[in-house]
Amino acid sequence: MSYSTADSLHSLRPVTLDDVRGARKMLLGVARVTAMEGSRHLTQLVGAPVHLKCENLQRTGSFKLRGAYVRIAGLLPEERAAGVVAASAGNHAQGVALASALLGVRATVFMPQGAPLPKISATREYGAEVILHGQVVDETLTAAQEYADRTGAVLIHPFDHADIIAGQGTVGLEILEQCPEVRTIVVGIGGGGLAAGIAVAVKSVRPDVRIVGVQAAGAAAYPPSLAAGRPVSIRNPVTMADGIKVGRPGEVPFGIIGDLVDEVRTVSEDELSAALLLCLERAKLVVEPAGASPVAALLSEPGAFEGPVVAVLSGGNVDPVLLERILRHGMAAQGRYLAVRLRLTDRPGALATLLGVLSVVDVNVLDVSHVRTDPRLGLTEAEVELHLETKGPEHCAEVGLALREAGYTVID
């Protein structure tokens, strides 16, 4: 089976299983064969074996090195001499930077102005020149294309090229070897390169395997595109999952995904947060929101997946500051984090009395904000905002009941 795509010279060439196998040979000694870890918690939830394909443990922290190396290694000598340019929120940037360093090619990488600082720093440390431009990857990609047109550098697209897809497809070959009994593969989709590559590799050998793509609900360009029969753009994609925050599908992966991916699901920000928290707590794996999207899909409707299931954890490059916010968000989504605001009489011992009520219900107070000078308050009033760690939704309800019975009114 083959799929036509335009390469950098606008010529047509196919993406086949042989391409993926050739990419795998090219990546020997470059990309790691990442671990496949079982998840007892997800297995119990789904009712069938669930395995995690840990591309978050790949070199540079994501699968992107695979496609970037294959693409750059395939350049002609004169193309290598002109250097390469890429656009990325972080993972493709690092993949291009390391691949270029390994192959002795000069690399320039455009990144959005809001890209996480650790990803910017890592890209520079691999030897690439970093230029910050635009707010989203689509704007950054336009700037990279203009740079390529102006300088002659070769644009290394993050997903819309046959070599990129072939490189990413090596993940699919590894899945088939590590879990030959697999029935369902769940993978996050941004532009679509990883899902397309896995689909070519897996469906060529095992057409019975179901492939499910996952997008963040706030950046889901594939459902309307599939409905329209062509790639369409969505305006202002919004999601914490910057790795899959793409406003328009790639032309090349779109055709493959339309033919070979069985379903594309969307997940909410709450579900992404809960999935990231689960990976950290239960699997002891640091995964970025985009990488946790397959787990979020399993959590949202566990009965919808035939096992054995392989969920691809596509990346682990997460800003520590963002990670802290996401973990709190995830705890709140699971009913394990509660913020309450209330007013009380401003008198000695009032705050201690309030904390005593909370101690009775065994809640952990993380933070207290005590305001006494707000003009909205009465002369004898104080306002208190508490951040509480709870044990789940039932415990949250118990806390609310205890406060009401003690005479406190929670302010919305």
Side-chain angles (χ1 to χ4, degrees):
M1 81 183 50
S2 65
Y3 302 88
S4 293
T5 176
D7 64 11
S8 59
L9 300 176
H10 302 289
S11 62
L12 298 177
R13 66 189 185 86
V15 183
T16 68
L17 177 61
D18 285 342
D19 291 327
V20 180
R21 287 172 171 163
R24 186 173 193 183
K25 292 180 181 178
M26 193 178 295
L27 289 168
L28 287 174
V30 176
R32 296 177 181 139
V33 176
T34 51
M36 180 85 76
E37 298 287 344
S39 171
R40 184 170 62 180
H41 179 77
L42 289 172
T43 293
Q44 292 174 344
L45 189 68
V46 173
V50 176
H51 306 278
L52 306 175
K53 177 60 171 168
C54 300
E55 282 297 291
N56 59 310
L57 303 179
Q58 183 57 261
R59 294 180 69 179
T60 75
S62 88
F63 70 95
K64 289 287 191 177
L65 173 64
R66 298 174 184 263
Y69 188 90
V70 172
R71 174 75 172 105
I72 298 171
L75 295 177
L76 299 172
E78 56 269 28
E79 291 176 317
R80 292 195 190 191
V84 300
V85 60
S88 167
N91 288 343
H92 180 61
Q94 292 174 74
V96 168
L98 178 56
S100 298
L102 294 173
L103 294 165
V105 177
R106 185 179 70 258
T108 302
V109 178
F110 285 76
M111 302 180 73
Q113 293 178 359
L117 291 177
K119 293 185 178 183
I120 296 173
S121 299
T123 302
R124 286 178 171 147
E125 288 173 6
Y126 287 127
E129 178 186 358
V130 174
I131 299 175
L132 301 180
H133 179 91
Q135 300 300 319
V136 296
V137 174
D138 301 284
E139 295 174 0
T140 307
L141 186 57
T142 298
Q145 182 64 67
E146 291 172 352
Y147 179 92
D149 295 339
R150 185 173 67 253
T151 66
V154 178
L155 177 67
I156 308 301
H157 199 284
F159 47 81
D160 208 7
H161 194 280
D163 288 346
I164 296 291
I165 292 171
Q168 321 305 29
T170 58
V171 175
L173 296 181
E174 292 177 16
I175 290 173
L176 291 178
E177 292 174 355
Q178 293 171 314
C179 185
E181 68 279 13
V182 63
R183 297 292 301 166
T184 305
I185 297 173
V186 190
V187 55
I189 297 181
L194 177 61
I198 289 175
V200 169
V202 172
K203 290 286 192 176
S204 298
V205 180
R206 289 275 311 280
D208 60 301
V209 173
R210 183 173 179 80
I211 298 179
V212 178
V214 183
Q215 293 207 287
Y222 264 88
S225 296
L226 292 169
R230 58 181 175 80
V232 298
S233 300
I234 58 171
R235 296 182 62 184
N236 302 321
V238 178
T239 177
M240 70 177 76
D242 61 297
I244 53 175
K245 185 180 176 182
V246 179
R248 186 179 188 276
E251 296 282 348
V252 183
F254 176 78
I256 299 173
I257 287 171
D259 287 343
L260 296 182
V261 171
D262 298 281
E263 179 186 6
V264 176
R265 290 174 166 258
T266 61
V267 293
S268 69
E269 300 298 285
D270 283 351
E271 288 164 344
L272 286 168
S273 297
L276 188 149
L277 183 61
L278 184 145
C279 288
L280 188 62
E281 286 189 326
R282 298 299 183 97
K284 314 306 178 189
L285 292 168
V286 176
V287 182
E288 62 187 278
S293 59
V295 175
L298 296 179
L299 293 177
S300 68
E301 193 176 354
F305 302 90
E306 180 185 359
V309 177
V310 172
V312 182
L313 307 183
S314 57
N317 294 314
V318 58
D319 184 344
V321 176
L322 177 62
L323 178 61
E324 180 182 10
R325 291 168 51 197
I326 292 172
L327 291 178
R328 286 202 172 193
H329 188 86
M331 291 175 68
Q334 291 188 343
R336 294 170 51 194
Y337 179 82
L338 180 64
V340 295
R341 187 161 56 96
L342 46 84
R343 289 181 183 177
L344 43 76
T345 302
D346 186 16
R347 58 176 175 75
L351 182 58
T353 300
L354 171 61
L355 296 178
V357 172
L358 295 174
S359 69
V360 171
V361 290
D362 195 28
V363 68
N364 186 27
V365 179
L366 300 175
D367 188 36
V368 178
S369 175
H370 190 199
V371 178
R372 305 171 66 186
T373 58
D374 193 307
R376 294 172 299 176
L377 297 173
L379 186 63
T380 61
E381 287 184 321
E383 186 172 286
V384 176
E385 183 173 350
L386 303 128
H387 294 176
L388 310 173
E389 183 181 1
T390 59
K391 301 172 185 177
E394 293 182 357
H395 194 201
C396 288
E398 183 183 351
V399 171
L401 178 61
L403 290 172
R404 288 193 299 273
E405 289 182 343
Y408 296 103
T409 300
V410 176
I411 302 170
D412 293 332

